[in-house]
Amino acid sequence: MWYSFLEAWLGTGLLTASGEKWSVWRKILTPAFHFSILEKFLEVFNRNASILVQKVESYVDVGEFNLYPYLYNCTLDIICEATMGVKINAQNGEAQKYIECVHGISECVTKRMLNFLYFFDIVYRFTSFYRTESKLLKDLHDMSRNIIRERVKERKTLNEKNVSESEMYEGRKERKAFLDILLDVSDKSEKAFSIADIREQVDTFMFEGHDTTSVGLAWTIYFVGRNPHVQEKIFEELDSVFGSSDRPVNMNDLANLKYLECVFREGLRLFPPVPVLSRVIEEDIMIGDYEIPAGTFVFINIMSLHRSPKYYANPDKFDPSHFDLDEVKKRHPFAYIPFSAGSRNCIGQRYALMKEKTILSTFFRKYKVESVQNEEELQPNVELVLRPGRGPVVKIQRR
Ligand code: HEM
């Protein structure tokens, strides 16, 4: 039901598709998240993480500021380059139109999800939200379509000139954006995808890939800034991996940043960016003593699960040792599901981990953080993702 509210925006891209269409596209898109492809995005992650630390440099030792917009712009720049192969420079104050559209549409869809009356098209269509959403959707879809058309045209010209693949991606170090990967598959299949087919997948990755990761970073940095002993352990690990160097992060480093990964996972435990999943039960099932008939609309409350005392000692406490290997082994594998689980799990989770660890390790090599708010002051807010209503407001010092 909720997912259908996203269809005007995302069509039936991977997140909102079901049945045969979903399984065909999942097969097509899975190779785009292969390790060897993700590795090529490290340069984009590193470059944008460096811009982020430069952007906040002016706040060193001058008092508190809201870090969130900086994290948001950084993850938006990364996802645009990774998905569509274009630089929108949100971190340099550009891309305002795109950001306005994404924020505006998210707000309308959230309003709809939270008001039962708006579930009915006949009611929703008479609201001002519907009119705003339709206008913003048109602008957003035009932007994505134009980028796709441009890229198709560019590829056609290059093909006519018989340019080799490595030359085609020259300047991007042979790194193909997801859009190029989709167009490659399209070129090779019997029936080429339409612009509309491609647009819904591109918009899905844009949507799923930046908001989730910006709030994931925000919660993690917030908790680190409240827990000095955790921050000290992060510094120790960073010093052992990088020494005093500010060189770019490589794949080896990512594998060695084990404690940082536990810290990030713990942030996702306490504040999972996607706090609730919903599903419709297809056949009658028994769960414990309860019989759930086919057709029932169910919610999976990830946030409550992650804070259950049944699975976590001190469930409300930020404690990265919840992810020590021994602890993980003791726990039910589905007691921790920030990326969902099963065949419809998050296709981008490996990408997300790489990106977040690159940004966090670049940030904490440079700065020591203090978070000035308590959890209530952060005003956690369930919109399309679980985001801080305000903040995280932090003070930073150079290390
Ligand atoms: C911290 C970051 C992220 C979190 C917590 C997260 C979480 C999730 C969750 C819980 C789902 C299941 C949604 C549902 O079934 O209702 C999901 C699905 C999905 N995610 Fe992520 N995600 C993250 C990052 C990303 C990134 C970076 C991308 C793309 C680059 C991405 C792309 C997708 C897609 C396409 C789906 C739909 C998969 C399918 O149904 O086959 N996600 N994500």
Side-chain angles (χ1 to χ4, degrees), residues 3 14-15 22 26 33 79 204-205 208-209 212-213 264 268 273-274 277 279 338-340 344-348 351-352:
Y3 298 82
L14 196 62
L15 177 71
W22 170 78
R26 181 89 189 197
F33 289 89
I79 197 71
T204 297
F205 283 112
E208 267 288 330
T212 47
T213 50
F264 177 61
L268 294 190
V274 180
L277 301 173
R279 293 288 185 269
F339 296 104
S340 185
R344 294 250 13 191
N345 67 356
C346 174
I347 198 171
Y351 170 104

Side-chain angles (χ1 to χ4, degrees), residues 152-186:
V152 170
K153 218 159 68 191
E154 202 178 284
R155 287 166 60 99
K156 200 163 162 234
T157 317
L158 292 169
N159 275 336
E160 280 164 6
K161 288 189 189 153
N162 233 347
V163 172
S164 72
E165 202 169 70
S166 62
E167 282 170 286
M168 191 182 304
Y169 299 106
E170 200 189 9
R172 284 191 265 145
K173 301 204 176 93
E174 297 186 31
R175 181 186 57 243
K176 297 179 186 187
F178 292 126
L179 173 57
D180 291 308
I181 296 171
L182 279 174
L183 293 171
D184 285 349
V185 179
S186 175

